[in-house]
């Protein structure tokens, strides 16, 4: 079975560490790649689109409020690319504003998750996200 890969675009180091801990406990073989601003992530995605990068992400989590290029810009690039549009994209943001959710879903996000305030709920939503993408359907 191919290695499972998740691209995480998140500028908050605390959230990065939580995401890493939760996903690594769930699946120690999971390959994670982090970008802390939208421009870094966009540069990587452009290389991926051109076939110049070999990290074929199965799932991308995007924060909305990122430095340089926001999550909506990244989402638009991903879903506008013939090569990248099939990648599952989860918006994972502090925003609970309904217009943010509507815009993300209109741009093609597969799911919009408002970041929980408790660690237990944080773990639950990330485990549910993992299950929805990688769980064996049998």
């Amino acid at each position: 079975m191919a290695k499972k890969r998740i691209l995480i675009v998140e500028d908050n180091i605390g959230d990065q560490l939580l995401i890493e801990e939760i996903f690594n406990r769930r699946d120690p073989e999971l390959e994670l790649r982090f970008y802390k601003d939208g421009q870094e992530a966009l540069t990587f995605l452009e290389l991926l689109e051109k076939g110049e990068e070999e990290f074929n992400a199965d799932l991308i989590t995007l924060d909305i409020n990122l430095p340089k290029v926001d999550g909506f810009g990244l989402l638009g690039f991903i879903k506008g690319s013939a090569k990248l549009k099939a990648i599952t994209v989860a918006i994972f943001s502090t925003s609970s504003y309904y217009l943010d959710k509507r815009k993300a879903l209109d741009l093609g996000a597969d799911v919009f998750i408002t970041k929980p305030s408790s660690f237990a709920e944080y773990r639950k939503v990330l485990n549910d996200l993992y299950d929805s993408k990688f769980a064996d359907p049998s």
Side-chain angles (χ1 to χ4, degrees), residues 1 5-6 11 15 17 20 29 34 37 40 44 58 71 74 76 103-107 127 129-130 136:
M1 180 178 210
R5 295 179 170 145
I6 302 176
D11 62 327
D15 285 331
L17 293 170
E20 183 175 31
E29 300 299 312
F34 290 87
D37 76 50
E40 287 180 347
F44 166 76
D58 300 295
L74 292 172
K103 182 176 181 179
L105 295 174
D106 286 349
L107 285 170
N127 281 321
L129 179 61
Y130 179 93
D136 186 0

Side-chain angles (χ1 to χ4, degrees), residues 29-40:
E29 300 299 312
L30 191 62
E31 189 173 343
L32 304 174
R33 183 169 293 187
F34 290 87
Y35 288 96
K36 67 182 185 304
D37 76 50
Q39 185 58 57
E40 287 180 347

